[in-house]
Amino acid sequence: RYVLGEVVSEEPRCRQCIEDRAVSLAVRDAVGRVHGDYGLGCVSVSFTVKYLNAYTGVVLLRCRKDACGLLCSALPFVRQLESRNQRYPCVLNTLHIGGTIRTCQKFLIQYNRRQMLLLLQNCTNEEDRRCIQKSLLSCSLTEEPSKSGDEEDDDGTE
């Protein structure tokens, strides 16, 4: 199973400093505290952090199907992440449990759409709303072409 989660922290630098190793250690520690050696053994067999986005705080965890309940019940007990000898207080929220990465991706797209609608509805004035819409429309998934030695410079010389 794949567990899609979100790292929630009041410190903005927390999400930018986290690494998949820190998330893995914190989750294993929480499973060990909540379920003991048995739970840790069950979860550790195939547990991995498949994806971590440090900007959005989205994390995708993989575990065996029979250990998914143990993992999900221990996630609320993660209270901090330790990275680069710094401890950052945070909480891991479970967003979705799926059988494939693709179903988790589909859920995340719908979840982000709902969050954007809530953000737009909570705008206090029209200027904030236009600013958010403008920043959304300026997002692009295509890369800008880079200059190579074969292209012409701005002054027209080669």
Side-chain angles (χ1 to χ4, degrees):
R1 293 281 183 223
Y2 293 91
V3 179
L4 185 66
E6 177 181 37
V7 178
V8 179
S9 174
E10 291 188 16
E11 289 187 45
R13 63 184 177 156
C14 171
R15 283 195 269 172
Q16 296 171 358
C17 295
I18 58 175
E19 301 168 337
D20 55 349
R21 184 175 176 270
V23 173
S24 178
L25 290 173
V27 169
R28 288 176 196 265
D29 180 57
V31 170
R33 280 185 286 125
V34 174
H35 299 293
D37 291 338
Y38 172 76
L40 187 59
C42 290
V43 170
S44 293
V45 172
S46 67
F47 174 74
T48 57
V49 177
K50 295 298 281 183
Y51 174 74
L52 172 67
N53 188 327
Y55 296 105
T56 61
V58 172
V59 63
L60 185 66
L61 309 171
R62 184 188 76 185
C63 68
R64 290 178 45 188
K65 185 177 180 178
D66 57 345
C68 187
L70 296 172
L71 176 69
C72 290
S73 65
L75 286 181
F77 294 96
V78 174
R79 295 289 179 217
Q80 65 184 3
L81 293 176
E82 188 171 342
S83 180
R84 300 180 188 119
N85 295 326
Q86 294 284 329
R87 292 183 181 195
Y88 301 102
C90 66
V91 178
L92 281 177
N93 285 339
T94 302
L95 298 177
H96 179 73
I97 300 170
T100 63
I101 293 176
R102 185 160 175 84
T103 58
C104 291
Q105 287 174 332
K106 287 180 180 179
F107 173 83
L108 190 58
I109 290 169
Q110 293 300 317
Y111 176 78
N112 286 334
R113 284 183 182 161
R114 287 192 303 268
Q115 292 299 318
M116 294 307 297
L117 287 175
L118 286 174
L119 182 66
L120 287 172
Q121 288 173 354
N122 292 334
C123 287
T124 56
N125 57 26
E126 193 61 34
E127 182 180 337
D128 289 344
R129 185 182 305 269
R130 278 195 300 266
C131 183
I132 291 172
Q133 289 174 341
K134 182 180 177 183
S135 65
L136 284 174
L137 293 174
S138 68
C139 293
S140 175
L141 295 176
T142 59
E143 294 182 22
E144 293 182 19
S146 62
K147 277 194 158 187
S148 65
D150 298 335
E151 296 178 355
E152 293 184 1
D153 292 333
D154 290 338
D155 59 0
T157 60
E158 288 187 18

